[in-house]
Amino acid sequence: MSHNALDYATEFSGKTALVTGGASGIGLAVVERLAAGGAAVVIADYNADQARTVAERLAATAKVVATPRIDVSDPAGSESAVTFAVETFGRLDLAVNNAGIGGPALPTGEYEIEAWDKVIATNLSGVFYGMRYELPVMAAQGSGAIVNVSSILGTNGFAGSPAYVAAKHGVVGLTKTAALEYAPQGLRVNAVGPGFIETPLLAETPAPEHEQLVALHPQGRLGQSEEVAELIAFLLSDRASFVNGSYHLVDGGYSAR
Ligand SMILES: NC(=O)c1ccc[n+]([C@@H]2O[C@H](COP(=O)([O-])OP(=O)(O)OC[C@H]3O[C@@H](n4cnc5c(N)ncnc54)[C@H](O)[C@@H]3O)[C@@H](O)[C@H]2O)c1
């Protein structure tokens, strides 16, 4: 690896990235960061209108397109997102499996079965389905990097969020396993564990009061999507060429307690 000065504007030039859930929050910040670094970016999101609006806004200065509506909890949706990226830009170098939902706030003994199924299908199976179709394309190319978006709740419990916590722990294990399997083929797979980040998901999810959440973070504030996107961009970049199969916190000190 060379140690020339980093050029943010060209760091991802010639690369194609797929970002699930890229229409909002952390995913949107990742789309903006990768596009600013010169990548061609495909946004795959359940909210197709918002994804299209983002793509149109960024298209003036970057190569950003949105797929038709994609549900990551449907394997056919994940497959079509990968196919769309390859058909549009000819290859797939980078993938961020980020789409996720919160689910209701209920203790395990009262958690609705339907809600469990939906959170697991989106937040855990969605990441598996994404990798299921991304990995063969990248393996055939002999290069590629994936970041899966877990959470601080990929390593900590959180009362009232059994499905979310189980799914996010699962994402960490899935990440490590795929990294072991595909390292010999030149691929890297990592996970990130954000603390509580100010996004629409947080606003919509029933959770403790804002001040209580802030108090859990020693830095005395919640995180911003751009702070997560910066770590994801690093993990996707060649600067992280020996970082593989690991889980990286970006949580203002939450997990240090
Ligand atoms: N906000 C936080 O505090 C926080 C903390 C840790 C981890 N995360 C994780 O970060 C990821 C992004 O969350 P966010 O806070 O940016 O949320 P967000 O609600 O702002 O964005 C999520 C995006 O995913 C899309 N999406 C949801 N379900 C989908 C599906 N089935 N198929 C396709 N797209 C779907 C939504 O339309 C939305 O555009 C999630 O995996 C979340 O669990 C968030």
Side-chain angles (χ1 to χ4, degrees):
M1 171 184 184
S2 74
H3 291 275
N4 296 330
L6 176 65
D7 185 349
Y8 276 94
T10 58
E11 190 178 18
F12 298 110
S13 288
K15 299 202 166 166
T16 296
L18 172 62
V19 182
T20 70
S24 172
I26 293 168
L28 171 57
V30 171
V31 169
E32 291 176 333
R33 176 66 179 79
L34 296 179
V41 186
V42 174
I43 305 173
D45 203 293
Y46 199 74
N47 188 339
D49 288 345
Q50 205 167 310
R52 206 175 315 111
T53 303
V54 169
E56 283 167 7
R57 173 168 64 80
L58 297 175
T61 53
K63 274 192 262 178
V64 181
V65 294
T67 66
R69 181 181 181 279
I70 293 288
D71 183 350
V72 298
S73 69
D74 174 3
S78 295
E79 183 176 25
S80 69
V82 172
T83 303
F84 183 97
V86 172
E87 284 179 354
T88 306
F89 293 117
R91 51 188 296 115
L92 182 65
D93 305 284
L94 315 171
V96 183
N97 296 307
N98 159 79
I101 55 173
L106 287 170
T108 306
E110 298 165 33
Y111 207 78
E112 297 146 9
I113 303 295
E114 239 176 57
W116 169 272
D117 288 343
K118 186 165 183 205
V119 172
I120 296 293
T122 306
N123 293 9
L124 178 56
S125 299
V127 172
F128 164 65
Y129 299 145
M131 289 206 292
R132 170 66 182 80
Y133 297 105
E134 292 151 7
L135 286 164
V137 173
M138 293 178 176
Q141 287 172 184
S143 68
I146 294 176
V147 172
N148 296 321
V149 179
S150 176
S151 163
I152 41 172
L153 307 185
T155 188
N156 299 291
F158 199 80
S161 295
Y164 189 90
V165 170
K168 294 301 187 183
H169 275 66
V171 167
V172 175
L174 196 53
T175 299
K176 291 177 181 173
T177 298
L180 293 176
E181 292 163 345
Y182 289 88
Q185 296 172 62
L187 312 192
R188 295 183 301 104
V189 187
N190 289 288
V192 293
F196 285 89
I197 310 297
E198 286 182 17
T199 70
L201 179 141
L202 192 61
E204 286 159 19
T205 304
E209 291 303 315
H210 190 266
E211 303 77 59
Q212 285 175 268
L213 286 183
V214 168
L216 296 171
H217 299 73
Q219 281 186 227
R221 64 175 177 87
L222 303 187
Q224 298 299 315
S225 294
E226 292 71 20
E227 294 176 305
V228 180
E230 202 53 47
L231 175 59
I232 293 174
F234 168 72
L235 291 170
L236 291 174
S237 77
D238 292 341
R239 288 178 287 143
S241 50
F242 201 54
V243 183
N244 204 356
S246 40
Y247 164 63
H248 304 266
L249 297 166
V250 47
D251 69 355
Y254 182 111
S255 307
R257 291 186 194 281

